[in-house]
Amino acid sequence: MDLTVIGTVGIDTVVTPGGDSREGILGGSGVYFAAAAGLYTPTGFVAAVGEDFPPEFHDQIRGLSGVDSTGLEVRKGSKTFRWGGKYLDDMDHRETLFTELNILIEDPPPVPDAYSGAAVVFLANMHPGVQHLMAGRFAKPRLTVADTMDLWIDTARPELEALLKDVDGLVLNFDEAEQFTGAKNTVTAGRRLLEYGPRFVVVKKGEHGAILVHRDGIAALPAYPSEKVVDPTGAGDSFAGGMMGAITAEIATGGEARIDPAGFETLRRAMAHGTVAASFTIEEFSLGRLGSLTREELDARYHEYMHMLRLE
Ligand code: AMP
């Protein structure tokens, strides 16, 4: 498996400002990532759920295009991670209603042997201590990137700082970059994060796109202008999935010697794919849209987006 993700599988509750809510839907950082990444490249999936995990959710994960879910452990006697979030009127900000870590505070799942030689590893949002431990289970990836969020910045900062020394890149929301660094300016926040060790930081700004702060330069990409925003949950994870999937596909199609997986231009190209993948996620709750998306639909929107970016 060229790309492997380690992340959460969650049972989510989502409340949106229009009053439309869903309780007990499939979510989790690893799920959204894998659903997007699998459209670009074969993706290994490592996560653990409890015995309360609904079989129909398991089937949904198994059915994701390009995703190998043999790394999804179902643990007897354990309970699945649960999370609830409520979106504010702008749909770009949310508050966490509850987080029940459950299985996430137990031992992490094993990494199948077939994944341990992965060229690209994504440590989706999880406790940074677990992310660090899991990163050590891979032989010699060419690219390792992590995501994080407010809960871990609040509760596990030393572990997060230690993780940043050992990853090539970090992907996080602007609010979290500000929370970590104290900087209100995106570029300043990104530069401060680089001082902890990574070669690049991607700061996601929801509807306002994403900024790449790299040791070799700065780049900005707008979000795809979506009119249909039903549930933004998982936008960040599927952005990362599209981005990392596109990089891995470039490496796999003969670019290994030619491209630097953490290079400025590689990342700029890959971020466009992440942007487009995320634009589908938000059109429905859970995997309602992303889970049945075809590569043709993805490519068609990618070309439309590229056209929008072109200046004559
Ligand atoms: P995103 O909207 O991209 O930030 O991702 C939301 C998903 O992350 C939801 O489906 C949640 O199940 C999952 N999630 C929420 N909080 C956490 C957390 N602290 N650690 C890992 N995953 C989380």
Side-chain angles (χ1 to χ4, degrees):
M1 215 53 67
D2 290 331
L3 170 61
T4 292
V5 57
I6 299 131
T8 62
V9 175
I11 301 178
D12 287 354
T13 294
V14 176
V15 180
T16 67
D20 201 3
S21 310
R22 292 288 187 283
E23 226 174 283
I25 56 176
L26 175 60
S29 57
V31 170
Y32 284 110
F33 179 95
L39 290 162
Y40 288 93
T41 195
T43 302
F45 184 60
V46 180
V49 292
E51 61 182 0
D52 58 344
F53 193 60
E56 59 273 22
F57 288 175
H58 207 144
D59 289 344
Q60 246 183 294
I61 295 173
R62 269 195 214 103
L64 290 174
S65 165
V67 178
D68 180 306
S69 60
T70 48
L72 176 60
E73 180 192 351
V74 182
R75 198 173 294 170
K76 284 224 157 43
S78 298
K79 281 173 76 180
T80 304
F81 165 62
R82 285 174 190 260
W83 172 85
K86 180 180 174 193
Y87 287 88
L88 309 184
D89 283 341
D90 62 1
M91 282 298 237
D92 242 359
H93 292 87
R94 74 178 174 216
E95 15 183 273
T96 296
L97 297 173
F98 61 87
T99 304
E100 294 171 20
L101 292 172
N102 296 329
I103 197 163
L104 298 189
I105 50 171
E106 300 174 15
D107 287 341
V111 174
D113 288 346
Y115 299 178
S116 59
V120 179
V121 173
F122 189 73
L123 307 163
N125 189 15
M126 276 183 303
H127 188 290
V130 176
Q131 289 175 305
H132 210 169
L133 181 87
M134 296 303 271
R137 307 229 162 128
F138 291 85
K140 214 172 173 288
R142 290 197 60 203
L143 175 67
T144 304
V145 177
D147 189 354
T148 195
M149 73 187 287
D150 50 356
L151 176 69
W152 310 122
I153 298 171
D154 279 340
T155 62
R157 189 178 173 111
E159 291 95 326
L160 186 54
E161 288 186 13
L163 174 72
L164 291 182
K165 289 195 182 71
D166 282 341
V167 293
D168 301 297
L170 177 71
V171 178
L172 80 179
N173 286 332
F174 172 68
D175 291 352
E176 289 145 5
E178 182 186 359
Q179 181 190 354
F180 191 96
T181 62
K184 294 206 177 303
N185 175 283
T186 313
V187 178
T188 309
R191 286 201 202 284
R192 284 193 191 157
L193 282 159
L194 292 187
E195 288 168 15
Y196 289 87
R199 273 179 74 188
F200 69 87
V201 177
V202 177
V203 184
K204 298 169 289 175
K205 304 191 81 169
E207 192 194 343
H208 305 294
I211 314 270
L212 170 65
V213 181
H214 193 286
R215 287 192 201 162
D216 297 334
I218 310 273
L221 270 188
Y224 176 84
S226 298
E227 212 173 352
K228 186 177 182 203
V229 185
V230 172
D231 171 17
T233 309
D237 306 306
S238 51
F239 170 90
M243 177 178 108
M244 302 293 289
I247 295 172
T248 312
E250 265 202 58
I251 296 176
T253 49
E256 175 131 31
R258 192 168 39 84
I259 71 158
D260 172 2
F264 182 67
E265 290 303 332
T266 313
L267 287 159
R268 256 159 55 92
R269 279 195 298 278
M271 282 168 65
H273 290 283
T275 300
V276 173
S279 76
F280 285 103
T281 307
I282 65 180
E283 290 182 359
E284 299 291 348
F285 285 95
S286 186
L287 294 183
R289 183 71 181 97
L290 187 65
S292 56
L293 186 66
T294 64
R295 183 61 200 252
E296 290 68 34
E297 290 171 313
L298 189 61
D299 287 346
R301 188 171 289 181
Y302 173 78
H303 290 302
E304 186 198 342
Y305 178 63
M306 283 291 124
H307 187 74
M308 284 177 186
L309 292 184
R310 200 173 321 128
L311 300 175
E312 300 302 337

